[in-house]
């Protein structure tokens, strides 16, 4: 069932939709615990406006509190996944007090990057162009699948801007420091096909297959044991640990999973050559 994100009556007026105005974020909860977040402002290529940012904040907060959540898919409508920060709103900050601008941008970054703090895997279905902060959001997801003809990049320097929203770190994490340096210093946009070739996304597909591919992956994750998945994501979030650090974490996490009903179900299903049915217990 489709559910629009609830309206925050305490939000500033420009962040609230008029009764007849379509909300820029749709949230769908699927029966298997997969949530699908869809940016729905295709005429403007799904920019991160103040209203969308407020909706995103509420949606992520609600997802974090959902005990039945197993995976999250993020996508867009129209020709773009997300075109990044609303340049008009950003330009309005020109000439404002530097400390105030810094606080506003810091809040913006942290609001959008809160997706990294979700306890379940996140999958970006990059249906179209992902630019600037829009690319950073895709990079903040655990897995990424992109339309082959989509344009992806971080053209901050072409706008006279320093990169924001941790793009310098997220891009280097995905493609390595050397390739990230090239993309950030030139502001170059690349195709989804090229993005897959250099590791920015996991796979490039025809545009009409991107969402279904991302949903297939999310369904695979949702069918796995929930606690094991969450603990695995926590372990991976530590970055590139040493073998000793990995062993220390795994010595804590794996014993926890051996005490669960899901572990017993997984072993029994393997013996019986059937698919396991995990309940999270």
């Amino acid at each position: 069932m489709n559910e629009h994100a609830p309206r925050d009556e305490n939000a500033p007026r420009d962040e609230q939709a008029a009764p007849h105005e379509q909300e820029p974020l749709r949230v769908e909860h699927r029966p298997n615990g997969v949530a699908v977040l869809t940016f729905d402002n295709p005429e403007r290529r799904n920019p991160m406006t103040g209203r969308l940012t407020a909706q995103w904040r509420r949606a992520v907060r609600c997802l974090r509190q959902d005990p039945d959540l197993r995976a999250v898919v993020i996508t867009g409508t129209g020709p773009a996944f997300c075109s990044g920060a609303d340049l008009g709103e950003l330009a309005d900050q020109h000439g404002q007090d530097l400390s105030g601008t810094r606080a506003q941008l810091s809040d913006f970054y942290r609001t959008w990057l809160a997706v990294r703090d979700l306890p379940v895997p996140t999958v970006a279905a990059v249906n179209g162009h992902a630019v600037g902060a829009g690319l950073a959001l895709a990079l903040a997801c655990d897995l990424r699948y992109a339309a082959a003809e989509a344009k992806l990049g971080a053209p901050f320097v072409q706008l006279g801007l320093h990169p924001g929203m941790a793009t310098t770190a997220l891009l280097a994490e995905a493609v390595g420091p050397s390739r990230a340096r090239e993309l950030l210093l030139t502001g170059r946009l690349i195709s989804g096909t090229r993005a897959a070739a250099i590791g920015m996304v996991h796979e490039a597909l025809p545009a009409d297959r991107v969402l279904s591919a991302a949903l297939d992956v999310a369904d695979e994750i949702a069918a796995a044991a929930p606690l094991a998945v969450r603990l695995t994501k926590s372990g991976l979030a530590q970055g590139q640990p040493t073998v000793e650090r990995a062993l220390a974490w795994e010595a804590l996490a794996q014993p926890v999973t051996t005490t669960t009903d899901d572990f017993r179900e997984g072993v029994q299903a393997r013996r019986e050559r059937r698919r396991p049915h995990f309940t999270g217990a």
Side-chain angles (χ1 to χ4, degrees):
M1 128 180 113
N2 284 340
E3 299 177 359
H4 290 297
R7 180 179 301 178
D8 184 352
E9 299 299 338
N10 296 317
R13 187 174 301 276
D14 63 352
E15 293 183 358
Q16 297 185 25
H20 64 280
E21 192 174 355
Q22 181 172 311
E23 297 286 6
L25 179 67
R26 290 188 282 111
V27 181
E28 176 192 359
H29 294 276
R30 294 160 66 91
N32 64 347
V34 174
V36 183
L37 277 60
T38 304
F39 303 130
D40 196 14
N41 188 1
E43 294 80 8
R44 297 189 58 200
R45 301 198 171 200
N46 302 320
M48 294 166 162
T49 61
R51 186 153 62 87
L52 177 58
T53 299
Q55 284 190 286
W56 176 265
R57 180 185 292 112
R58 295 193 296 275
V60 171
R61 183 171 61 237
C62 289
L63 290 175
R64 189 181 295 117
Q65 297 168 353
D66 183 354
D68 298 320
L69 187 69
R70 296 199 177 189
V72 175
V73 173
I74 303 167
T75 193
T77 55
F81 170 73
C82 178
S83 58
D86 186 294
L87 293 179
E89 293 181 5
L90 193 61
D92 287 343
Q93 297 180 11
H94 180 69
Q96 292 184 8
D97 175 72
L98 183 58
S99 62
T101 300
R102 182 181 295 119
Q104 288 180 340
L105 287 176
S106 179
D107 180 67
F108 175 86
Y109 302 153
R110 293 182 185 281
T111 294
W112 283 99
L113 292 179
V115 68
R116 285 174 68 87
D117 299 328
L118 288 175
V120 301
T122 54
V123 185
V126 185
N127 56 291
H129 304 333
V131 181
L135 175 64
L137 175 63
L139 293 171
C141 294
D142 296 300
L143 302 172
R144 295 171 292 281
Y145 301 86
E149 300 304 317
K151 296 299 183 184
L152 296 85
F156 293 97
V157 295
Q158 301 294 343
L159 295 169
L161 283 172
H162 187 284
M165 216 166 98
T167 306
T168 51
L170 293 169
L171 191 54
E173 179 181 88
V175 303
S178 179
R179 187 72 71 186
R181 190 175 296 117
E182 177 188 37
L183 292 170
L184 289 168
L185 292 176
T186 63
R188 183 180 301 161
L189 299 180
I190 61 175
S191 69
T193 299
R194 178 61 179 160
I198 66 174
M200 186 186 292
V201 301
H202 294 82
E203 188 176 359
L205 302 138
D208 60 358
R209 288 179 48 202
V210 172
L211 179 57
S212 62
L215 288 172
D216 286 346
V217 172
D219 289 344
E220 284 187 68
I221 293 169
L227 179 60
V229 169
R230 289 182 178 223
L231 288 174
T232 300
K233 173 163 177 170
S234 294
L236 291 170
Q238 299 176 32
Q240 295 293 328
T242 63
V243 170
E244 288 303 317
R245 285 182 58 194
L247 288 174
W249 168 255
E250 290 166 5
L252 293 172
Q254 192 172 63
V256 171
T257 56
T258 64
T259 67
T260 64
D261 292 342
D262 277 348
F263 172 63
R264 285 189 287 275
E265 164 65 9
V267 172
Q268 189 66 23
R270 178 63 60 86
R271 288 171 176 165
E272 297 174 0
R273 299 181 181 277
R274 61 173 173 83
R275 288 188 176 185
H277 176 65
F278 295 120
T279 63

